[in-house]
Amino acid sequence: MLDVRDITVSFSSDSAGSVVVLDGVSLRVQPSEIVGLLGPSGSGKSTLLRVVAGLHRPDSGHVWLDGRDVTDVPTHRRGVGMVFQDEQLFPHRSVAQNIEFGLRMAGQPQAQRHRRVAEVLALVGLEGVRRRPVTNLSGGERKRVALARSLAPDPRVLLLDEPLTGLDRVLHDRLVVDLTSILRAADTTALLVTHDRDEAAAIADRIVEIADLS
Amino acid sequence: MDRHLDRGDAALSDRHPNRLPAWLLVALVGPPMAFAIVFYAWPLATLLAKGLGPGAIADVLGRSQTWDVVWFTSWQAVVSTALTIVLGIVPAYVCARFQFRGRRAVLGLLTAVFVLPTVVVGAAILAVLPDSLDRSIWAVLGAHVVFNLAVVVRTVGAVWEHLPPDLEAAAATLGASPLQVARHVTLPLLRPAITAAAAIVFLFTFTSFGVIRILGGGARTTIEVEVWRRATQLGEIDAAAVLSVLQLIIVGGAVGWSVWSQRRHGHAIALRPRAVRRKARTLGERRLVVATAAGVSGLLVVPLLALGERSVRTPDGYSWTGWTTMGRAEVRRGVRLGTNPLAALVNSLEAMAVATTLSVAIGGLATLAVAAARRGRWLDTGLMLPLGTSAVTIGFGMLITFDTAPVDWRASSWLLPVGHALIAVPFVVRSAIGVLRAVDPRLVEAAATLGATPARAWASVTLPHLWRPLATGAGLAAAISLGEFGATSFLSRRTTETLPIAIERLLGRTGSILQAQGYALAVILAAVTIALVMLSELVRDRARRS
């Protein structure tokens, strides 16, 4: 279970002194629950994801994961997965090498890694692209690989930062359906950040507005 | 959202749990820092301490000969700079605004000459000029122009090709004649670029050493040459140190002025992202393009051809004697050489191998450190300093620092390549740092969310980007080491003299075979340098495309 308590984040900016982006935000995500986090751009929803992932340190407040305070735990030991808005696939590694990266970090033996890569590739509907370089994938394929990569190490919570923004309508709608079934099939606990209410309604069990969290 | 605010600070900030471990930063920063302190900062401090001794200052500044040298150094630099700018403006315009066959060839030729070792350019000018002009001021000015033309064409042309032509059209619709457009619109907009080019050319010509050693004929000396003469020929170390410091002050002032001036006259112009070049349309335009291309090519190619021609010229007609006798210490019975050209070639290659390895190791670590460390900017600036310090200053400083036990390293064969590496490291860092800085910090974050430790994330995401630019840097370092003359003049010994030293020595002698050998060595040096630089640019362009 993810439990975010009283998170405050402010950024110092040249023009306006210090800007408070998150002001005492609290949020709970139950096991296997998918929460859609809505808000206009600039409302701090991506920052909240980065705080949960440990990529940004909050000024105050705590992040609890499965009953443990992880606020001071570095990202790599939190067991969170993250799908970035622009995928951030490692350009110098093939599809399979991208997906097995997390498994390698966890020290899994090769045979096991191999099995898991095949598993998640099947889950996202991408059999047969293992050896392809990630630089010549289509937009939809890139999203699927990014999703497969974050799901492979079986994270305690999956963070999705506007994963379907910037795709054309047809591809977007198809991926909404696929993403929903993939997350359900993997029984994932997930926090989805988006500004698209319909998308959130289709994927999430529960929708929260970031404005209501303070 | 908020990208601009939180981008990339995660791994760097002081207390962030994702920061890189301290041992890694120390391992990256330590060696380059130690290298810079021992071989750059310390010798420079020694030099300053000697050069600022009150007795020596009074003595040197009291001599009228000192002021003759300063005067000559300054005026030849100013005249060389002015000539280069004037002669470079038209080619800059033609290459920036017109699309014509051979345009890339002309630009490539300019670059090729620019990367040539100073002694090779000096030798080429010596080869092309008739004996009456051989070691005159005209030879010096000519060499400086040929050498630095690329700076003007590249620097000014880079801005010119992105200037929106509509600005000039707008001025024309307001009633400005072509001349008025040039005077009131184009030139003011180009002014920062012209100032920048002038500053670079002034810096190069003010600190000119190799060209003057070959073409100055002993009578004309710049401050650099005078430092060398006093230190190594006359043994007046203190006087040489004072001159070195004087030179540092003048150069520092000139650089400061150019930075200030560029800031003051900088305009925010909406430069066009893509250069628009067109074919020459009118007869006048076509004539201009052809004449410019032919003129520039001639100016650059003829001296190089003369170099080759002189290497096979003997009093009895053309022959390969200069080339074939190169390895033999005895040219004719009884005529022995103090210089063995073939041994010089071997020495040069040895120094090049060590210097390149060292530059790549130190430069690679420094690049990683600059990209990773929070205070990387300081290291970056520190490592750029050798660029602003002349090679002569570097060599001289090392010579007077490492001369007493336990650091009496003058006899060590590695001191020369260390000097070369010091000069080459900034180029290695420059060619690699841009690539590393362009690595998206979110890739590192992605690795962290997949369970990679900060060190592991760095090693698997950032590190792989280093190899290709490092190969480019290695090519540059090799070329720099091969042609290095300033520091080498202080650090090489009789038994380990390198190609440039041998060339200068052979060309300074009478005797047609010795001269031919000097020219032959210059041809070899030119060919190898150009090949190395082309190879390194090829690697870079490949990397860009993939």
Side-chain angles (χ1 to χ4, degrees), chain B residues 212-230:
Chain B
I212 309 279
R213 283 277 302 278
I214 301 250
L215 296 172
R220 275 170 286 273
T221 68
T222 53
I223 301 179
E224 293 276 275
V225 176
E226 190 64 9
V227 168
W228 169 80
R229 202 174 67 92
R230 295 271 176 96

Side-chain angles (χ1 to χ4, degrees), chain A residues 11 42-47 50 54-55 57 72 74-76 80 82 84 86 88-90 92-93 101-102 105 149, chain B residues 1-3 5-6 9-10 15-18 440 442-443 445-454 456 460-461 464:
Chain A
F11 290 119
S43 59
K45 34 188 209 312
S46 287
T47 304
R50 294 174 61 81
L55 297 171
R57 230 181 118 92
D72 289 320
T75 305
H76 67 279
V80 296
M82 185 151 172
F84 290 77
D86 34 11
Q88 300 299 344
L89 300 178
F90 303 128
H92 53 296
R93 290 165 182 265
F101 185 88
M105 294 302 125
R149 185 177 72 173
Chain B
M1 52 185 264
D2 304 332
R3 297 189 71 143
L5 290 171
D6 54 20
D9 59 359
R15 42 191 198 119
H16 200 289
N18 284 359
D440 193 333
R442 275 166 201 254
L443 274 178
E445 295 176 358
T449 64
L450 293 165
T453 64
R456 196 82 192 264
S460 52
V461 174

Side-chain angles (χ1 to χ4, degrees), chain B residues 187-257:
Chain B
L187 272 184
L189 290 176
L190 290 178
R191 189 172 162 163
I194 294 177
T195 315
I200 296 171
V201 177
F202 180 82
L203 196 68
F204 284 157
T205 51
F206 189 84
T207 61
S208 186
F209 180 71
V211 165
I212 309 279
R213 283 277 302 278
I214 301 250
L215 296 172
R220 275 170 286 273
T221 68
T222 53
I223 301 179
E224 293 276 275
V225 176
E226 190 64 9
V227 168
W228 169 80
R229 202 174 67 92
R230 295 271 176 96
T232 64
Q233 310 300 107
L234 306 177
E236 299 174 16
I237 300 291
D238 286 346
V242 173
L243 282 170
S244 261
V245 173
L246 189 65
Q247 207 240 71
L248 276 175
I249 292 170
I250 298 177
V251 166
V255 170
W257 173 81

Side-chain angles (χ1 to χ4, degrees), chain B residues 204-517:
Chain B
F204 284 157
T205 51
F206 189 84
T207 61
S208 186
F209 180 71
V211 165
I212 309 279
R213 283 277 302 278
I214 301 250
L215 296 172
R220 275 170 286 273
T221 68
T222 53
I223 301 179
E224 293 276 275
V225 176
E226 190 64 9
V227 168
W228 169 80
R229 202 174 67 92
R230 295 271 176 96
T232 64
Q233 310 300 107
L234 306 177
E236 299 174 16
I237 300 291
D238 286 346
V242 173
L243 282 170
S244 261
V245 173
L246 189 65
Q247 207 240 71
L248 276 175
I249 292 170
I250 298 177
V251 166
V255 170
W257 173 81
S258 98
V259 170
W260 173 81
S261 155
Q262 280 175 64
R263 286 235 179 98
R264 205 180 138 208
H265 296 290
H267 305 276
I269 333 167
L271 292 179
R272 298 171 66 97
R274 279 183 62 100
V276 211
R277 278 184 287 273
R278 59 183 178 81
K279 291 214 160 107
R281 281 193 288 256
T282 64
L283 182 65
E285 281 179 356
R286 253 176 280 152
R287 278 192 184 144
L288 178 70
V289 167
V290 171
T292 307
V296 170
S297 314
L299 192 65
L300 303 180
V301 168
V302 170
L304 291 181
L305 290 179
L307 208 55
E309 192 260 349
R310 287 295 296 266
S311 75
V312 292
R313 196 204 287 178
T314 63
D316 328 314
Y318 291 116
S319 87
W320 291 99
T321 321
W323 292 81
T324 51
T325 55
M326 229 189 270
R328 292 181 230 154
E330 206 169 278
V331 185
R332 263 178 271 126
R333 203 204 309 250
V335 182
R336 289 190 67 88
L337 288 175
T339 292
N340 182 347
L342 214 58
L345 181 61
V346 173
N347 290 337
S348 268
L349 292 177
E350 279 173 8
M352 178 188 88
V354 180
T356 306
T357 312
L358 206 54
S359 318
V360 167
I362 296 287
L365 287 175
T367 311
L368 291 170
V370 168
R374 220 156 49 87
R375 295 182 204 288
R377 204 164 290 200
W378 286 99
L379 185 67
D380 194 15
T381 314
L383 284 165
M384 286 305 118
L385 283 176
L387 267 188
T389 320
S390 74
V392 163
T393 310
I394 288 175
F396 181 36
M398 288 173 78
L399 183 75
I400 58 176
T401 305
F402 304 120
D403 64 342
T404 41
V407 291
D408 186 4
W409 294 330
R410 279 171 309 171
S412 320
S413 59
W414 51 264
L415 196 60
L416 179 69
V418 163
H420 289 182
L422 203 57
I423 295 163
V425 162
F427 291 90
V428 176
V429 175
R430 277 305 100 189
S431 59
I433 187 71
V435 179
L436 280 206
R437 285 222 170 106
V439 176
D440 193 333
R442 275 166 201 254
L443 274 178
V444 181
E445 295 176 358
T449 64
L450 293 165
T453 64
R456 196 82 192 264
W458 174 85
S460 52
V461 174
T462 311
L463 199 56
H465 288 89
L466 185 67
W467 309 130
R468 252 176 199 282
L470 221 47
T472 309
L476 288 181
I480 288 168
S481 168
L482 267 189
E484 213 292 321
F485 186 60
T488 311
S489 293
F490 291 85
L491 299 176
S492 91
R493 287 159 302 129
R494 262 287 184 201
T495 49
T496 62
E497 63 180 21
T498 59
L499 274 187
I501 301 282
I503 291 171
E504 193 273 340
R505 204 161 269 168
L506 288 167
L507 292 182
R509 300 225 183 146
T510 50
S512 62
I513 292 178
L514 298 187
Q515 295 257 332
Q517 283 187 341

Side-chain angles (χ1 to χ4, degrees), chain A residues 48-67:
Chain A
L48 186 60
L49 273 201
R50 294 174 61 81
V51 167
V52 173
L55 297 171
H56 193 94
R57 230 181 118 92
D59 299 336
S60 65
H62 293 269
V63 178
W64 291 71
L65 250 179
D66 294 344

